[in-house]
């Protein structure tokens, strides 16, 4: 038996078997001096670690600074508008109160914090205030339209009848906007059927193919984003109605809506596809996949939620257009489900047709139609979010079941191939030719 030792642990060789004993104590050596410009590691034992701080919680001092500055800003604006300065107006009072609130809040925070903390708190307040202002404006638009059109929306006939047998002097219990709802759905469906594949395919071309022509296409898409809607209506009217159909129709209105939606979908999809990490494409190419399989199975699924957002933006732009629809679809009070024959009215155009009347009942119908249009946009938004709102890498329950079934089939195929005899291996029932 021989024994060999190193600085780490003694090793015993017993009958050609190596046995490693417990590591011996390494003698302490003085730490080597750290050269200038190199990083020194901290000691392993750095003392007791304190509790983690929850950054989402606020202290009583933060709440006092916030609410105290808010009350002080409102009081200062009230004194300026009511006593010290000849100022009037609700909007001016709100602006002065908000600016006073920001200044007083920054002053209170600076009493016990440094400059960086003051800037962080003030920017946080500005961002939260911007979000609240946007949400308040949306709520105001919906509430104002609902209040003005509540007398029409509360009647069920408003959603189930047309204006074929109703006039401006008829009560709200007669007539409705069913023909406008159907017309809007048909027109936006045709526009989406054209816009979504063409817009997404163009965005894929701009990102995956590129080249000089791609730069030209991107420039044209940027220019079309600022195209006035009336120009799109005039283009479809002169190119389609004058030379092809010779009449206003829902299909012509859908083409005008497509012209307005297409640049929005292209630019938004282009930005989303640029955010897909390049190493995902490289990994797919390394596994032997082609460019189009990589786009279909890697790039598009990764950017699915962003592409849905792009489609929502385009739909919101197209569904609320009035001027191109006015030139291409025409105004009618009857139901028309054929987009290729006869005029077909939509909800925005119906709102315009109602509110231009001096009769209070027609104006109420106009605001009620606006409420229906807002609810329709929200319904499309939530439907799109349910269909494609999952984050990259997350699968639905059906996708997980299909993936698990495919994995089980692959496992059975591999096990069957492994159990089958190889055609090059010798058979077991052959006799050994050697004596």
């Amino acid at each position: 038996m021989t024994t060999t030792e190193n600085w780490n642990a003694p090793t015993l060789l017993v009958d050609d078997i190596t046995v490693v004993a417990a590591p011996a104590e390494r003698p302490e050596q003085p730490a080597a001096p750290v050269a200038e410009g190199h990083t020194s590691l901290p000691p392993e034992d750095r003392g007791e670690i304190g509790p983690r701080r929850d950054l989402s919680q606020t202290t009583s001092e933060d709440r006092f600074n916030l609410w105290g500055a808010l009350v002080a800003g409102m009081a200062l604006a009230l004194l300026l508008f009511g006593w010290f300065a000849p100022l009037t107006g609700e909007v001016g009072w709100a602006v002065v109160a908000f600016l006073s609130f920001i200044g007083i809040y920054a002053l209170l925070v600076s009493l016990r914090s440094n400059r960086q903390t003051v800037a962080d708190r003030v920017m946080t307040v500005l961002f939260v205030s911007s979000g609240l202002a946007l949400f308040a404006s949306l709520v105001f638009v919906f509430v104002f339209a609902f209040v003005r059109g509540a007398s029409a929306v509360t009647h069920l006939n408003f959603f189930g009848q047309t204006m074929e047998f109703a006039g401006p002097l008829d009560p709200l219990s007669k007539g409705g906007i069913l023909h406008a709802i159907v017309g809007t759905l048909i027109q936006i469906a045709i526009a989406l059927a054209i816009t979504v594949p063409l817009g997404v395919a163009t965005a894929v071309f701009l990102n995956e193919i590129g080249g000089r022509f791609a730069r030209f296409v991107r420039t044209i898409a940027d220019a079309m984003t600022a195209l006035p809607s009336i120009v799109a209506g005039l283009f479809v009217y002169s190119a389609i109605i004058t030379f092809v159909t010779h009449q206003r129709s829902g299909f012509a209105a859908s083409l005008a809506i497509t012209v307005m939606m297409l640049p929005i979908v292209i630019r938004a999809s282009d930005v989303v596809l640029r955010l897909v990490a390049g190493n995902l494409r490289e990994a797919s190419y390394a596994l032997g996949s082609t460019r189009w399989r990589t786009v279909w199975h890697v790039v598009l699924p990764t950017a699915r939620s962003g592409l849905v957002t792009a489609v929502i933006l385009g739909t919101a732009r197209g569904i609320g257009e009035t001027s191109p629809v006015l030139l291409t679809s025409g105004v009618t009070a009857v139901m028309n489900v054929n987009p290729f024959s006869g005029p077909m009215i939509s909800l925005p155009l119906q709102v315009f047709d109602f509110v231009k009347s001096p009769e209070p009942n027609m104006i109420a119908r106009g605001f009620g139609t606006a409420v229906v249009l807002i609810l329709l946009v929200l319904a499309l938004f939530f439907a799109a979010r349910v269909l494609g709102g999952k984050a990259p890498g997350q699968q639905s329950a059906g996708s997980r079941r299909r993936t698990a079934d495919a994995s089980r089939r692959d496992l059975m195929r591999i096990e069957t191939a492994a159990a089958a005899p190889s055609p090059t291996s010798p058979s077991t029932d052959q006799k050994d030719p050697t004596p």
Side-chain angles (χ1 to χ4, degrees):
M1 178 179 66
T2 60
T3 304
T4 60
E5 295 184 1
N6 56 15
W7 65 270
N8 189 14
T11 304
L12 305 179
L13 296 177
V14 182
D15 297 333
D16 297 333
I17 300 177
T18 303
V19 180
V20 180
E25 292 290 338
R26 184 179 179 180
E28 296 183 359
Q29 298 180 358
V34 180
E36 185 177 357
H38 293 269
T39 302
S40 60
L41 297 177
E44 296 182 359
D45 187 9
R46 287 174 284 181
E48 183 179 357
I49 301 176
R52 295 178 62 89
R53 179 185 175 187
D54 189 3
L55 299 179
S56 61
Q57 295 181 354
T58 59
T59 62
S60 58
E61 181 181 356
D62 295 335
R63 292 191 293 270
F64 172 79
N65 293 336
L66 180 64
W67 292 105
L70 181 61
V71 173
M74 296 173 62
L76 180 60
L78 186 61
L79 290 176
L80 290 177
F81 275 74
W83 297 87
F84 301 127
L87 302 177
T88 57
E90 292 79 4
V91 177
W93 180 87
V95 172
V96 172
F98 180 75
L99 295 178
S100 303
F101 159 68
I102 295 297
I104 296 173
Y105 181 72
L107 178 62
L108 292 177
V109 175
S110 63
L111 295 177
R112 293 192 178 183
S113 303
N114 54 18
R115 181 178 179 181
Q116 184 177 2
T117 304
V118 173
D120 178 72
R121 300 292 175 79
V122 171
M123 293 305 298
T124 302
V125 170
L126 290 177
F127 289 149
V128 174
S129 302
S130 301
L132 292 177
L134 178 61
F135 179 75
S137 61
L138 294 177
V139 172
F140 173 77
V141 169
F142 179 78
V143 171
F144 181 80
F146 183 80
V147 170
R148 294 292 303 272
S151 57
V153 175
T154 53
H155 293 82
L156 294 180
N157 60 280
F158 186 71
F159 304 96
Q161 296 181 7
T162 65
M163 295 296 295
E164 183 177 4
F165 302 105
L169 299 179
D170 290 328
L172 295 176
S173 58
K174 185 177 182 180
I177 58 170
L178 180 62
H179 58 303
I181 297 175
V182 174
T184 298
L185 294 178
I186 293 175
Q187 292 176 12
I188 201 64
I190 297 175
L192 286 175
I194 301 173
T195 303
V196 172
L198 187 57
V200 175
T202 304
V204 170
F205 166 74
L206 295 178
N207 284 272
E208 303 299 327
I209 304 299
R212 296 182 179 179
F213 186 66
R215 290 194 295 269
F216 173 75
V217 173
R218 184 177 282 111
T219 303
I220 295 300
D222 292 339
M224 289 181 62
T225 305
L227 182 70
S229 58
I230 191 67
V231 176
L234 289 173
F235 167 74
V236 174
Y237 180 83
S238 60
I240 303 299
I241 297 178
T242 304
F243 295 101
V244 180
T245 61
H246 303 289
Q247 63 175 348
R248 293 181 172 89
S249 62
F251 179 73
S254 300
L255 294 180
I257 295 174
T258 301
V259 174
M260 302 306 302
M261 292 173 54
L262 191 57
I264 304 297
V265 175
I266 291 175
R267 294 299 295 135
S269 302
D270 182 23
V271 173
V272 169
L273 293 179
R274 286 186 183 183
L275 299 178
V276 178
N279 54 8
L280 295 178
R281 299 181 178 90
E282 296 172 358
S284 178
Y285 295 148
L287 294 175
S289 178
T290 61
R291 173 184 294 176
W292 300 115
R293 288 182 64 85
T294 300
V295 171
W296 186 257
H297 294 284
V298 177
V299 177
L300 292 181
T302 304
R304 180 181 58 182
S305 59
L307 294 176
V308 171
T309 303
V311 174
I312 291 173
L313 293 176
T315 304
R317 173 67 186 275
I319 201 173
E321 290 294 340
T322 304
S323 55
V325 178
L326 178 63
L327 295 174
T328 55
S329 70
V331 178
T332 180
V334 299
M335 176 72 71
N336 182 15
V337 296
N338 186 4
F340 300 98
S341 177
M344 176 185 289
I345 198 170
S346 61
L347 287 174
L349 188 55
Q350 187 69 79
V351 173
F352 174 76
D353 186 59
F354 279 150
V355 297
K356 70 179 183 180
S357 174
E359 295 297 328
N361 288 343
M362 297 296 286
I363 296 177
R365 288 190 179 100
F367 280 100
T369 307
V371 172
V372 174
L373 180 60
I374 296 174
L375 294 177
L376 180 60
V377 173
L378 292 178
L380 293 176
F381 173 80
F382 285 114
R385 279 301 173 189
V386 170
L387 295 177
K390 291 186 177 296
Q394 295 183 358
Q395 293 181 325
S396 61
S399 299
R400 288 194 295 268
R401 286 194 299 269
R402 290 190 293 269
T403 303
D405 294 339
S407 300
R408 282 192 292 268
R409 289 193 299 268
D410 292 339
L411 180 59
M412 294 176 60
R413 178 175 53 81
I414 294 173
E415 291 177 349
T416 303
S422 177
T424 58
S425 60
S427 178
T428 57
D429 55 355
Q430 293 180 355
K431 295 181 179 181
D432 190 0
T434 59

